[in-house]
């Protein structure tokens, strides 16, 4: 086992971990937050429609 190969493997692993932590994870979290906001907005819209639409029809 060559020490240079071990160091190189460790460096590649470190670089891969940094890429995942700096780019992949934040992108996935942003997409998840956007989807959660969209779902919350749709539920709020449905609640408003259920409350306001019958009132509009009555007037």
């Amino acid at each position: 086992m060559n020490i240079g190969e071990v160091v190189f493997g460790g460096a590649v692993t470190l670089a891969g971990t940094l890429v995942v932590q700096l780019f992949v994870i934040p992108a996935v979290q942003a997409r998840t937050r956007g989807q959660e906001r969209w779902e919350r907005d749709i539920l709020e819209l449905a609640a408003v429609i259920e409350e306001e639409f019958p009132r509009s029809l009555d007037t």
Side-chain angles (χ1 to χ4, degrees):
M1 179 180 269
N2 188 354
I3 192 74
E5 294 174 355
V6 173
V7 171
F8 178 73
V12 169
T13 303
L14 178 62
T17 302
L18 287 174
V19 167
V20 167
Q21 289 181 351
L22 293 176
F23 299 107
V24 175
I25 291 175
V28 170
Q29 288 176 338
R31 188 175 64 195
T32 301
R33 284 191 306 269
Q35 184 176 0
E36 289 172 351
R37 280 193 304 266
W38 182 83
E39 290 172 353
R40 185 184 65 237
D41 291 345
I42 293 298
L43 292 173
E44 290 176 3
L45 176 62
V48 168
I49 290 173
E50 288 176 356
E51 292 175 9
E52 298 296 325
F53 188 65
R55 288 185 204 166
S56 297
L57 290 177
D58 290 340
T59 59

